């Protein structure tokens, strides 16, 4: 006698699986209810396990009656993947069996498929899984109360679909609470509703929105260097956002940590305090400081610093409503010879209202194409504007600062960390 166990979301589904596998003469010996386990056990429907038995001679009949073509399925000739690459297959259904990484030896030096997923920057797969696990723990308490109220009306596939919709609704509200613009939150919600309506479990939905947000932020773009000539990086932005302090942090990082030759250049002659502040940093870091009083002087000033790897240019902060100062900065950047590698960084405070950030973005786009640096992330608990202005302006993200300490409190924009915060994590 052969005894086998089968599982399904309902008792009849499990029995049907047994009959399909072992034949109509199978004997159902017992039916067992299996309660879900794990962080999201409150949201997963129970499963049923049946124990089925069949005499050996009856089982042989079932096997011999199967079409011969099934045994003659053509195997793929090759697998076009990187050698010894670990393949991870996401579990898309709540009742699906656990799928573990499969380590497949493949042909050496094989080329990647062009459809390969864009991988998020920096963290490994294990790091991403760790972040998702912590997010699950944080979100469980927030949605358990709502789930409890709906338990009586949920059963089977409909119950699981309703759970998915409730979870999507909670994620949507979390994004709005984090001040993500409703336009962008709705874009994310539309796709999540399609996924949840197919009965995908909550773990799968959370993983999907996490990766979708990572891809929306894109790969951060720090300063790029060239061999022959220095990179000239202009820092622009409104008053009070911390441009001068940010420049000092960048300078210290590249000189101390990477051994680059760095020089300061300031065109902020509107405020004496700004020049003196940068001079103080220059003295501490043992870097040259050159003052430029007009756009016509920019090329000569940069030419005198040609042996340096990086020239950081501090510009005057001004209100986006001040057309005269806007024009001055535009002339300064535009006056630099095209022979030099130029990068422009718009420095914004994470505490600024989104409407003001839109206005600032619009005005500074008339000056130059820029990358984004966000400051004062330690002074806010809402991070939606980081996503909002990135999507609104189309500008790449670069750095983020978290305090006043020089050279600390700055890093290349950590997309994974910000996405976790947007989803309600710490």
């Amino acid at each position: 006698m052969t005894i086998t166990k089968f599982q399904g979301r309902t008792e009849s589904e499990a029995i049907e699986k047994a009959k399909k596998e072992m034949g109509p003469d199978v004997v159902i010996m017992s039916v067992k209810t299996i309660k879900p386990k794990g962080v999201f056990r409150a949201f997963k429907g129970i499963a049923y396990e049946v124990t089925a038995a069949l005499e050996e001679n009856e089982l042989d009949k079932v096997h011999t009656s199967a079409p011969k073509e099934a045994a003659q399925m053509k195997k793929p000739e090759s697998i076009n993947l990187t050698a010894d690459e670990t393949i991870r297959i996401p579990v898309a259904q709540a009742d699906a069996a656990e799928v573990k990484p499969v380590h497949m030896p493949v042909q050496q030096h094989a080329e990647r498929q062009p459809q390969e997923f864009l991988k998020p920057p920096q963290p490994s797969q294990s790091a991403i899984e760790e972040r998702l696990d912590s997010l699950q723990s944080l979100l469980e308490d927030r949605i358990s109360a709502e789930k409890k109220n709906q338990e009586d009306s949920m059963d089977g596939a409909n119950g699981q679909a309703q759970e998915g919709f409730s979870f999507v609704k909670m994620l949507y509200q979390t994004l709005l609470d984090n001040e993500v613009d409703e336009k962008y939150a709705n874009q994310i919600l539309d796709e999540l509703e399609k996924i949840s309506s197919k009965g995908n479990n909550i773990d799968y939905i959370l993983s999907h929105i996490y990766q979708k947000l990572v891809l929306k932020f894109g790969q951060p773009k720090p300063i790029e260097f060239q061999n022959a000539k220095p990179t000239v990086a202009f820092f622009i932005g409104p008053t009070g956002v911390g441009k001068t302090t940010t420049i000092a942090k960048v300078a210290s990082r590249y000189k101390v940590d990477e051994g680059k030759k760095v020089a300061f250049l300031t065109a902020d002659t509107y405020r004496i305090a700004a020049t003196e502040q940068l001079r103080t940093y220059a003295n501490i870091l043992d870097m040259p400081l050159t003052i430029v009083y007009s756009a016509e002087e920019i090329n000569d000033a940069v030419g005198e610093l040609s042996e340096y790897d990086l020239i950081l240019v501090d510009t005057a902060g001004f209100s986006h409503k001040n057309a005269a100062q806007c024009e001055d900065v535009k002339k300064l950047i535009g006056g630099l010879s095209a022979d030099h590698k130029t990068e422009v960084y718009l420095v914004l405070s994470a505490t600024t209202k989104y409407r003001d950030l839109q206005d600032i973005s619009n005005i500074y786009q008339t000056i130059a194409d820029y990358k984004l640096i966000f400051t004062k992330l330690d002074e806010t608990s809402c991070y939606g504007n980081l996503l909002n202005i990135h999507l609104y302006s189309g500008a790449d993200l670069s750095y983020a600062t978290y305090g006043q300490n020089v050279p600390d409190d700055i890093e290349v924009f950590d997309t994974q960390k910000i996405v976790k915060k947007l989803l309600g994590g710490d």
Side-chain angles (χ1 to χ4, degrees), residues 223 235 246-254 310 312 399 410:
I223 292 173
F235 290 74
T246 299
I247 290 172
K249 292 175 181 178
V250 172
S252 179
R253 286 280 177 163
Y254 281 111
L310 177 63
L312 303 175
Y399 301 93
I410 187 172

Side-chain angles (χ1 to χ4, degrees), residues 169-294:
K169 179 181 176 182
M170 188 277 299
L171 288 175
Y172 177 72
Q173 188 58 51
T174 300
L175 292 175
L176 294 183
D177 291 344
N178 245 311
E179 299 184 1
V180 172
D181 185 72
E182 191 172 358
K183 171 185 175 181
Y184 303 125
N186 282 329
Q187 291 175 359
I188 298 170
L189 181 67
D190 289 342
E191 186 168 340
L192 287 181
E193 284 183 334
K194 296 175 184 178
I195 294 173
S196 62
S197 65
K198 295 179 181 179
N200 292 305
N201 63 28
I202 293 174
D203 293 14
Y204 184 82
I205 295 172
L206 178 59
S207 176
H208 181 86
I209 188 175
Y210 182 90
Q211 295 191 31
K212 185 175 180 65
L213 284 170
V214 166
L215 293 176
K216 278 189 174 293
F217 273 111
Q219 180 82 19
K221 302 291 180 62
I223 292 173
E224 296 179 356
F225 294 88
Q226 57 183 357
N227 296 325
K229 296 182 179 180
T231 295
V232 183
F234 290 87
F235 290 74
I236 61 176
T239 58
V241 296
K243 285 195 306 299
T244 305
T245 304
T246 299
I247 290 172
K249 292 175 181 178
V250 172
S252 179
R253 286 280 177 163
Y254 281 111
K255 179 175 181 178
V256 176
D257 296 345
E258 298 191 20
K260 300 290 186 182
K261 295 182 65 177
V262 184
F264 289 130
L265 192 155
T266 180
D268 187 0
T269 56
Y270 289 90
R271 295 186 307 121
I272 296 177
T275 302
E276 292 306 313
Q277 182 183 11
L278 195 59
R279 190 186 304 279
T280 300
Y281 289 132
N283 291 335
I284 293 173
L285 297 170
D286 191 24
M287 296 178 183
L289 170 63
T290 303
I291 302 175
V292 173
Y293 294 95
S294 67

